[in-house]
Every structure is written in structure tokens, then in C-alpha cells.
Amino acid sequence: MSDVTDGTSLFTLFLTAAALIAVPSIILASKKRQDEQTEEKDASKDEGGMNDDGGLTDMKAVSAKISVLLDNARNKFEDEYMDLKLRVTIPALLQLVIQAEEKTPSDQEFSRDVLYNKTGKASEVKGKELENLDQCLSFAEWAYEPSTKELEKSLGSCGYSLLKHEKVEEAGLVGYYIAIDPEKKTAIIGIKGTSSLSDMLTDCCAATTKQTLDHSFVANDDSLKEISAHEGILISSNALAKSLEPFIKHLFLPLNYRLLLCGHSLGAGAAGLTGVLLRSQYPELIKKNSLEVISFASPPVLNHKAALACLPFTTSVVNNSDCVTRASLNNVEVLFKILQDIQTKLVEAGMDPVDRKSTSAYLSKIKSGKSGEMLMSTEEGFDVIGKAQKGVSIDDPDHLYVPGKVILLYRKWQDRKKRREELEAMEQAAKDKGEKFVEEEAVKEQEPLPVFCVRTDGVADPLRLIEIDNDMVMDHLTGSYHTMVDGLK
């Protein structure tokens, strides 16, 4: 990415995608203002912006939305970040990230890769576990299928029969299906993720809220009778748990069926919270250990203690820099703290644009792109990240995390840079020979980059940071998750 201005626009898109889920309480705090903007967008939706398919296509609309969300975020934190110049510090942060990758030699281990590797136990996923993970990803993906006939066909190929296919287009509810395999005595509840504007509204309708449960969702621990959770997804999960009641009471429990909840994105968050609610409502599920959640790309949905208490029955798979898995108010605060340090560095360097001289210095720096002098070294940058994370409380009841065991899949930046250098060398060789070089074809001929796996939990350092990366939105898609799971084979 040679042009920092283009990169800033791309980063705006990335951060907006995260912020649409990440700043739930901010959305409620500015509900009136957002309603007015929604009416304006509905009146002119043919001109671009977010449409009924949930797309983010118009860059001006995206830029306006991120500005509103981050400005409102500062209001949430009262006066602490009111002096933070977002339009100055965000481009400087983006440039710093690009420079850190560019200036690190490919024969040297990248600090980012070290951060991932040390966050948990490096481990292989293989055999039956890998097969199960692959199949559960398909179960989660099939929840997006609008055709009941096609869904029946897909499930039938795995030996499952469809009992119910609930398709909803209403904020506060999620679509889902129920399927059973009588031989395995297993019932799947596949929960649909975000694929429409109404789903996006469910994502955004969310201050952190508390709920007192019927019983603790963990055996012999009454302190877990109350949880703090993502309000919008908790609303959907309560509705889902209620709709599942007749199946669980009159079919699955009497017949000793095992329950498997799967979902992606919003569906993953709902799967995690519904699992908690069902274990609370039906203690037999705890006694028999007959409920499991396997989710992909879950947003942070539970407070620290509750998220860790899900370890025995929930597995959350996170792909690389997936922005939705980092989309939390606490991570927005970590970002603000990082930007504060960047702003301090700009002031010290005479690049805080307050007059003609400092504005010229700032613009010259940004224009220098990846080749310019770094505002701080990579080591200093990771120290800033560590300090910012320590400055944000893990146990704050408003701070939410991805639940259960986390399987963190990632590719190394070091390998990515080596691959880029190989492609550049191939392009130069073709140029020297007067031959045409087509990068897409060259990439297809190369082996995929290796996939690494770390077993950790939702409070791991890589998940307590909105990672700025070209792939942070693409990493959220089910296709990217399939690619990474396939990379483990």
C-alpha cells in the first residue's frame, strides 16, 4: 500500500465495519441523532451507503459514519479523550503500521507474530477435532441459506434431517434452523449471522446489560447467576431460547439428545449467549454435559468472568485479524489510548497541525508514506500497545469478551512479506525478459502460506486490540474461515 491517503480511506472502511458492532452503548447514547441520519439515508439510499443487503459501498457515507461513531465514543468516556484529534492521529497510526511491516526484514521475526505466538499454547488441530471443526463451520454457514429445500439437501448429505427453518427479517430476532441425527442422538441449532440491514440493527442495539439467570450456568458456582452481556445479541438470544423451549423440553431432553449450537458472526454471538441461557434454564444439560457451542467469528458478548466460565462447553474460532472479534467498547478505549500517545509524539515532533508550519510538517510526513521516518520504532509501538491494554480494566462490567476456549488461527506477517518479495522478484524477472506478468496467476501457482494455531481465551492480548491490517474485514468472511481451516489439513 504505497499511498497513505488511499490507505486511510480503506482503514476507515475497516474500522467502520468493526465499529458497527464495537460501540454498542454509543449507538444507544446517540439514538435520536442516528434515527435522524437513518431517515436521511433511507430517503437517499439509491445514492449509496448502507443498503438493505447491509453493504458499505459509498466511501463518503462510510467516512461520515465512522466520524459520528468515534466522536460519540469520546462522549461515552466523558472528558478523557475530548482533546484527541482523530482525523490527525488515525492517518498517523495507519502510516506507522504500514511502516512497521515494511521496515522489518523478512528474515527477522515480526513483533506482531511474536504477540500471537506467545498468547497461548501453540497447538495442532488434527484428526477428529479438525473434521468436527470443518463440519461445524459448514453448519454455521448453512444458517445463511434462504432456501429450505437447499438447506435440507445440505444437512441430508451429513445424515441430518431438518425439523425447523426460521427465517426472520426483524431487528431483535435471529434466523435459525434445527436439525437432528437420530442415530447420533444429536440436534444442531444453526444460527444465522449478519447478512441484512435488520441484522446489523440487532448488532448495534446494544449497551452492555445485566441479566439475572434462572440458575447458574456452571455447576456449584452461584456467582454466575448474573451476567453482563451485549444487549442486542442478548435480546435475540432470549427470544431464541424461548422458541427452542418446546423442542428441548418435549424432545431433546426426554430422548437424551446432545445439543450442538453453531453460528458465524452475529450467529456466533447468539450461539454463545443462547448456550449460557439454556444451561441456566435446564440444569440437566450441565449434569449430562450435553450442550456444546462451536462458533466462528463471534463478537465479544460476555463479561470477563462469564466468558472464561464458558471454557468447558464453548469453542470460539477466531481468524487472524478479524475485526468483529475485537469489536468492543474496551478495545475502542485501547485504540484511543494508543492514539493519545501518537498525538503526544506528533506534538513533540512539531507535527501537530495547529498552524501553517506544523500543518505543513504533518502533511509532509503523511505524504512520505511507508518510506518516511517512523514516528516511533516498532518496539516503542508495541510498548505503547502494552501500556494501553494495561490501562483498560479487564474486569470492568461494561467490557465484553469472546466466550470460552479460543482457537486463534493466523498467518505470519513474516511469511506474508517473504511471499510479497518473491512476487516482486518474479515480476522484475518477467519485466527483464519483456514478458507479461499476471500476479493473480502467479499467486495461484504458489503453495498457500502456512496456518498457525494457538489455543487461548477471549482476554488474550491479540483480541484486546483492534488490529489494523488489510485483511481485517476479509478475515471475517466464512470463505476466509474455510481457507484457514483447510490450511490446517
Side-chain angles (χ1 to χ4, degrees):
M1 191 183 300
S2 59
D3 183 44
V4 173
T5 302
D6 289 345
T8 303
S9 298
L10 190 59
F11 170 60
T12 299
L13 175 62
F14 293 159
L15 198 53
T16 300
L20 285 170
I21 299 178
V23 207
S25 53
I26 296 162
I27 300 293
L28 283 183
S30 59
K31 187 177 186 300
K32 182 177 179 182
R33 184 175 180 184
Q34 293 292 335
D35 286 346
E36 292 170 353
Q37 291 176 341
T38 300
E39 291 172 4
E40 292 172 4
K41 283 185 173 66
D42 287 343
S44 59
K45 63 183 177 182
D46 291 338
E47 297 177 9
M50 197 159 65
N51 55 34
D52 286 339
D53 292 325
L56 291 167
T57 56
D58 182 78
M59 196 58 70
K60 288 183 180 179
V62 166
S63 298
K65 185 172 287 293
I66 190 63
S67 295
V68 169
L69 287 169
L70 292 185
D71 283 340
N72 284 329
R74 287 188 295 194
N75 294 333
K76 169 67 180 177
F77 298 119
E78 298 179 344
D79 297 330
E80 189 173 355
Y81 305 105
M82 294 309 294
D83 294 331
L84 183 57
K85 299 177 181 178
L86 294 171
R87 290 165 183 80
V88 172
T89 54
I90 286 177
L93 171 61
L94 177 61
Q95 181 185 36
L96 191 60
V97 172
I98 294 168
Q99 289 174 324
E101 183 173 4
E102 180 66 24
K103 294 179 184 295
T104 303
S106 60
D107 60 354
Q108 179 179 319
E109 191 171 26
F110 280 47
S111 298
R112 178 265 188 187
D113 300 339
V114 173
L115 178 70
Y116 271 65
N117 187 51
K118 73 178 185 180
T119 198
K121 182 180 179 182
S123 177
E124 291 185 8
V125 179
K126 55 186 179 180
K128 287 187 177 180
E129 183 185 17
L130 179 56
E131 183 181 336
N132 186 46
L133 209 63
D134 195 21
Q135 188 172 64
C136 286
L137 178 53
S138 293
F139 291 152
E141 188 175 35
W142 292 342
Y144 289 101
E145 176 56 63
S147 167
T148 299
K149 184 177 180 180
E150 288 300 316
L151 178 58
E152 285 180 325
K153 183 179 177 181
S154 296
L155 289 165
S157 68
C158 300
Y160 284 86
S161 300
L162 183 66
L163 288 186
K164 183 175 183 179
H165 187 199
E166 186 66 48
K167 295 176 276 189
V168 295
E169 295 296 333
E170 183 179 341
L173 298 174
V174 287
Y176 67 95
Y177 69 82
I178 304 172
I180 61 169
D181 182 335
E183 289 188 12
K184 295 180 180 177
K185 283 201 167 185
T186 298
I188 299 169
I189 295 103
I191 306 170
K192 188 168 83 72
T194 304
S195 62
S196 68
L197 180 58
S198 58
D199 281 345
M200 192 67 77
L201 290 174
T202 300
D203 289 353
C204 292
C205 176
T208 300
T209 188
K210 290 183 179 180
Q211 178 167 325
T212 301
L213 306 175
D214 295 342
H215 306 278
S216 173
F217 68 93
V218 175
N220 304 317
D221 190 347
D222 287 341
S223 69
L224 289 163
K225 284 184 66 175
E226 183 177 82
I227 59 171
S228 293
H230 184 297
E231 185 179 51
I233 300 178
L234 184 60
I235 290 170
S236 302
S237 301
N238 274 302
L240 176 57
K242 186 172 180 61
S243 68
L244 294 174
E245 182 178 344
F247 293 93
I248 294 174
K249 269 188 175 181
H250 305 302
L251 181 62
F252 302 144
L253 286 179
L255 295 178
N256 291 316
Y257 266 62
R258 168 179 169 262
L259 302 185
L260 174 61
L261 282 69
C262 298
H264 168 265
S265 189
L266 165 64
L273 291 184
T274 302
V276 167
L277 296 173
L278 293 179
R279 281 171 61 96
S280 165
Q281 293 164 7
Y282 307 101
E284 296 140 278
L285 294 174
I286 301 175
K287 292 176 184 177
K288 297 177 180 179
N289 192 28
S290 56
L291 181 147
E292 184 178 12
V293 177
I294 298 181
S295 69
F296 303 83
S298 173
V301 292
L302 275 172
N303 61 289
H304 177 213
K305 185 174 182 180
L308 294 184
C310 294
L311 284 166
F313 63 93
T314 298
T315 299
S316 298
V317 181
V318 173
N319 175 27
N320 215 46
S321 61
D322 182 348
C323 61
V324 170
T325 61
R326 278 87 168 173
S328 64
L329 188 62
N330 30 310
N331 283 350
V332 171
E333 186 171 10
V334 169
L335 173 62
F336 281 165
K337 287 184 178 297
I338 292 169
L339 293 176
Q340 275 186 328
D341 275 2
I342 287 176
Q343 185 163 299
T344 298
K345 284 285 187 180
L346 288 170
V347 170
E348 291 173 352
M351 297 179 186
D352 180 31
V354 294
D355 54 29
R356 180 176 295 180
K357 182 179 180 182
S358 57
T359 299
S360 176
Y362 172 78
L363 293 176
S364 294
K365 169 161 187 51
I366 297 301
K367 187 178 179 181
S368 70
K370 63 185 180 183
S371 61
E373 184 179 348
M374 295 179 71
L375 190 63
M376 63 180 79
S377 69
T378 301
E379 291 74 18
E380 286 180 282
F382 275 86
D383 286 343
V384 166
I385 291 171
K387 185 181 76 170
Q389 290 178 326
K390 287 178 182 177
V392 177
S393 171
I394 289 177
D395 292 316
D396 187 310
D398 286 334
H399 293 175
L400 304 179
Y401 302 91
V402 174
K405 299 184 292 288
V406 170
I407 295 179
L408 179 57
L409 306 178
Y410 70 100
R411 284 184 166 138
K412 292 183 177 181
W413 279 18
Q414 183 180 13
D415 292 338
R416 184 168 73 178
K417 185 165 185 178
K418 286 179 180 178
R419 175 60 51 84
R420 189 167 66 246
E421 290 174 348
E422 290 170 2
L423 291 171
E424 288 171 354
M426 292 168 65
E427 182 177 15
Q428 185 60 49
K431 185 178 179 181
D432 292 343
K433 295 178 183 178
E435 298 174 351
K436 184 179 179 181
F437 177 77
V438 181
E439 184 173 327
E440 291 78 7
E441 293 180 4
V443 169
K444 288 178 182 178
E445 292 176 1
Q446 293 183 310
E447 289 292 321
L449 295 178
V451 176
F452 296 88
C453 173
V454 171
R455 297 178 191 269
T456 184
D457 55 48
V459 296
D461 285 346
L463 297 183
R464 296 189 61 224
L465 173 73
I466 298 174
E467 184 177 347
I468 312 304
D469 185 68
N470 284 345
D471 297 326
M472 61 192 289
V473 170
M474 294 300 294
D475 282 342
H476 181 64
L477 305 181
T478 54
S480 294
Y481 274 81
H482 274 295
T483 298
M484 295 295 276
V485 171
D486 288 345
L488 296 172
K489 295 176 180 176

